[in-house]
Amino acid sequence: VSNKIRLAQDVKPNYIMVLGDNDEKTDKVSVRGRDNKTRTYSVDEFIEKIVIERNEKLFESEELIKINKKDCG
């Protein structure tokens, strides 16, 4: 498993999630972020977290598009 984690880190994903038997029993997920810190979330907490992050990124993208349109025309 640790070799797969090292390979995943080379790709630089936002999150690496490792699920084991214990995670399945407790309905928790262990997630390693880009800061290389591992945190544990309930499945619902993690889904909520990534949905919020996605929505914030979409909002930032839309704001940048508006700014670029103003500058161009």
Side-chain angles (χ1 to χ4, degrees):
V1 172
S2 61
N3 188 40
K4 289 182 180 181
I5 294 171
R6 274 194 297 276
L7 290 173
Q9 285 177 315
D10 290 341
V11 180
K12 306 246 188 265
N14 291 332
Y15 299 103
I16 298 173
M17 186 181 306
V18 179
L19 302 172
D21 293 336
N22 194 38
D23 297 310
E24 185 178 359
K25 291 175 189 173
T26 61
D27 200 32
K28 302 275 184 187
V29 291
S30 298
V31 180
R32 183 180 298 179
R34 284 193 169 192
D35 60 3
N36 213 26
K37 293 181 182 175
T38 302
R39 295 172 180 85
T40 303
Y41 300 94
S42 73
V43 173
D44 291 336
E45 286 174 330
F46 185 67
I47 291 171
E48 182 179 335
K49 176 181 175 45
I50 59 175
V51 167
I52 289 169
E53 286 182 10
R54 182 202 61 195
N55 291 341
E56 288 174 352
K57 293 289 183 191
L58 288 174
F59 178 76
E60 289 173 11
S61 296
E62 289 171 0
E63 290 301 308
L64 286 174
I65 290 169
K66 288 178 188 176
I67 290 170
N68 286 336
K69 285 183 178 179
K70 286 180 186 176
D71 290 342
C72 293

